[in-house]
């Protein structure tokens, strides 16, 4: 096996380890580490949760003295700053005596951004960067987007018919898709920081908006923030999203049009209430995402109705779509479509979806794609 092939082999191992932290490391990235001596893995680890030890720490503890003169494979540049809950990893790597470090990609965090690599080189360690960079970038696309833009990564999710309908004219939508698709949705929920819906969805369906995993996957280790867009705070206090706040945090996003007394009543129940500026007589979506990003929320799953979907797309703030399509046709110009609002006048105003991935879930089909929004 060539040196390049060996690097790829062990970096793939590190990437698989890193992926185990999906849904538990936010706002930190997912990171995997593998230590190899004489062609054999002598230590490995991954970042399990925010505030806990980093992948390098676990791997070095596992390898112990075997790390001397070994090669360390990292899916992301090691940290070197102290403005966080855990100590920097670079000093531990230097102290371990590893001879070479292979890094998949640099950390875009301005507090790192090449400084970790530079410190390793200054200590006499050979550092190679770029092995499986594309795969590492895809793994941490949410973290990278949040660091670079300050905004959460937005996933628009919907269950729909083949002709793009998400509900009948009277609003009936349970259930368009089958049990396997719905189970997959709960897995997706368990991996994001927040779930967003509009108040009309709450008034019509009274959803729980929690991640409920079944079978061997067990319970979600944490629940996403339930985010309700409600410009005038029409939500009733009996809504299920306002229950169990201790285990299932909830945030209301509203405007100055809301009753101040109701704002304070909600806050007294430990509900986070964000009073934000308006745009088109609704909450400013961009301003909301800016606030969420500042709060450390790195990803939002939009499960709203057609109007909320339209608002996010209109502002060019959707990064990815998860479309669960049932093998049915509903028809009717008055049925609820995936995207509400007014249609663009020109095809040039479309949103392009690329990098399509198709997965069969029972009788349904899931289409995942990256959204390239038109220039605003």
């Amino acid at each position: 096996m060539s040196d390049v092939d060996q690097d790829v082999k062990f970096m793939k191992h590190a990437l698989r380890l890193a992926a185990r932290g999906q849904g538990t490391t936010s706002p930190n990235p997912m990171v995997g580490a593998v230590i190899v001596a004489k062609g054999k893995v002598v230590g490995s680890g991954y970042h399990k949760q925010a505030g806990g030890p980093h992948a390098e720490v676990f791997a070095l503890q596992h390898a112990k003295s075997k790390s001397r003169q070994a090669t360390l494979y990292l899916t992301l540049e090691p940290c070197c700053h102290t403005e966080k809950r855990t100590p920097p990893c670079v000093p531990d790597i230097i102290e371990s005596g590893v001879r070479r470090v292979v890094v998949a990609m640099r950390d875009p965090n301005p507090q790192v951004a090449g400084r970790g690599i530079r410190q390793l080189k200054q200590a006499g360690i050979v550092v190679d960067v770029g092995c499986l960079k594309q795969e590492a970038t895809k793994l941490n696309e949410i973290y990278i987007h949040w660091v670079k833009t300050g905004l959460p990564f937005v996933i628009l999710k919907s269950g729909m018919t083949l002709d793009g309908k998400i509900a009948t004219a009277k609003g009936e939508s349970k259930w368009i898709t089958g049990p396997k698709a719905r189970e997959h949705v709960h897995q997706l929920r368990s991996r994001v920081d927040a779930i967003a819906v509009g108040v009309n969805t709450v008034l019509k369906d009274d959803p729980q908006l929690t991640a409920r995993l079944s079978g061997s996957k067990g319970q979600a280790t944490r629940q996403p923030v339930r985010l309700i867009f409600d410009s005038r705070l029409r939500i009733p206090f009996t809504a299920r999203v306002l229950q169990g706040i201790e285990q299932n945090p909830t945030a209301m996003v509203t405007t100055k049009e809301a009753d101040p007394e109701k704002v304070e009543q909600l806050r007294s129940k430990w509900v986070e209430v964000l009073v934000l500026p308006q745009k088109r007589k609704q909450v400013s979506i961009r301003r909301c995402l800016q606030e969420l990003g500042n709060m450390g929320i790195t990803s939002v799953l939009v499960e709203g109705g057609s109007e909320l979907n339209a608002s996010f797309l209109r502002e060019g703030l959707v990064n990815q779509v998860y479309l669960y399509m049932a093998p049915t046709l509903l028809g009717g110009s008055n049925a609820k479509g995936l995207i509400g609002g007014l249609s663009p006048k020109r095809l040039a105003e479309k949103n392009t979806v690329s990098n399509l991935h198709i997965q069969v879930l029972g009788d349904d089909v899931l289409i995942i794609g990256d959204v390239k929004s038109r220039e605003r």
Side-chain angles (χ1 to χ4, degrees):
M1 182 183 296
S2 69
D3 291 342
V4 173
D5 290 340
Q6 180 167 281
D7 286 348
V8 169
K9 172 187 173 181
F10 292 120
M11 188 60 77
K12 283 183 176 179
H13 183 23
L15 286 166
R16 287 192 295 269
L17 287 172
R20 293 183 184 179
Q22 193 170 47
T24 60
T25 64
S26 179
N28 295 347
M30 292 174 277
V31 182
V34 174
I35 299 174
V36 177
K38 298 180 180 179
K40 294 183 179 180
V41 175
V42 296
S44 62
Y46 68 97
H47 185 39
K48 296 180 180 180
Q49 62 183 21
H54 288 189
E56 300 92 321
V57 173
F58 283 119
L60 292 171
Q61 289 176 347
H62 184 193
K64 297 181 180 178
S65 62
K66 294 179 182 178
S67 62
R68 295 206 169 273
Q69 296 302 305
T71 298
L72 169 62
Y73 293 86
L74 287 174
T75 58
L76 186 71
E77 177 183 7
C79 60
C80 55
H81 62 97
T82 57
E83 296 179 19
K84 54 189 178 63
R85 287 176 282 183
T86 54
C89 294
V90 168
D92 287 344
I93 295 172
I94 295 172
E95 181 66 24
S96 73
V98 298
R99 177 185 61 85
R100 177 175 176 246
V101 176
V102 181
V103 177
M105 63 172 289
R106 288 180 170 84
D107 190 338
N109 186 336
Q111 294 176 310
V112 185
R115 290 200 299 149
I117 291 170
R118 185 161 58 249
Q119 288 181 17
L120 292 176
K121 290 182 176 179
Q122 290 172 347
I125 297 173
V126 176
V127 182
D128 294 313
V129 182
C131 179
L132 298 187
K133 177 182 177 180
Q134 185 174 347
E135 290 83 349
T137 301
K138 182 64 177 176
L139 177 71
N140 274 313
E141 61 183 347
I142 289 175
Y143 167 77
I144 294 168
H145 175 81
W146 175 65
V147 166
K148 288 185 174 181
T149 68
L151 304 177
F153 187 92
V154 175
I155 303 170
L156 191 154
K157 164 264 166 185
S158 186
M160 56 196 291
T161 62
L162 284 179
D163 55 341
K165 307 298 184 181
I166 64 173
T168 66
K170 292 185 177 181
E172 184 183 353
S173 60
K174 291 185 177 180
W175 293 103
I176 288 177
T177 55
K180 288 191 176 180
R182 297 198 295 273
E183 181 180 343
H184 193 277
V185 168
H186 283 285
Q187 294 175 29
L188 178 59
R189 285 179 175 183
S190 72
R191 302 198 301 263
V192 298
D193 291 344
I195 302 173
V197 299
V199 68
N200 286 333
T201 297
V202 174
L203 295 173
K204 179 172 66 72
D205 297 336
D206 196 20
Q208 295 182 64
L209 298 182
T210 55
R212 302 183 296 279
L213 305 181
S214 61
S216 60
K217 295 185 173 56
Q219 294 300 309
T221 56
R222 65 180 183 122
Q223 288 292 337
V225 174
R226 301 178 294 187
L227 188 68
I228 317 301
F229 284 82
D230 187 354
S231 299
R232 290 161 183 78
L233 283 188
R234 293 185 290 138
I235 191 169
F237 286 108
T238 55
R240 291 204 288 178
V241 292
L242 296 182
Q243 315 309 316
I245 303 297
E246 298 82 2
Q247 295 79 31
N248 307 293
T250 299
M252 302 296 303
V253 187
T254 191
T255 68
K256 291 182 180 179
E257 298 295 323
D259 180 356
E261 183 177 344
K262 193 167 185 179
V263 170
E264 293 309 313
Q265 287 177 316
L266 287 166
R267 285 174 174 165
S268 71
K269 295 178 180 293
W270 302 103
V271 176
E272 182 83 28
V273 182
L274 303 178
V275 181
L276 300 176
Q278 297 185 60
K279 186 172 184 179
R280 297 187 179 94
K281 297 183 179 181
Q282 301 293 331
V283 173
S284 168
I285 301 292
R286 183 172 293 275
R287 179 62 181 275
C288 176
L289 291 186
Q290 289 171 346
E291 292 292 327
L292 295 176
N294 292 338
M295 293 164 58
I297 291 178
T298 66
S299 57
V300 174
L301 180 65
V302 177
E303 292 197 20
S306 59
E307 295 305 319
L308 189 62
N309 293 344
S311 295
F312 271 87
L313 285 165
R314 187 188 303 118
E315 295 299 315
L317 295 170
V318 176
N319 301 105
Q320 200 169 61
V321 292
Y322 272 64
L323 303 179
Y324 298 83
M325 302 183 70
T328 54
L329 298 169
L330 189 57
S333 58
N334 59 342
K336 302 293 184 182
L338 172 65
I339 305 168
L342 298 176
S343 172
K345 295 180 180 179
R346 300 178 299 118
L347 279 175
E349 298 179 67
K350 65 183 182 295
N351 292 281
T352 302
V353 182
S354 60
N355 301 323
L356 295 181
H357 173 75
I358 299 174
Q359 182 177 348
V360 177
L361 298 169
D363 293 330
D364 305 318
V365 173
L366 167 62
I367 299 178
I368 304 171
D370 298 327
V371 178
K372 181 180 180 182
S373 299
R374 62 185 185 272
E375 294 296 326
R376 295 300 193 273

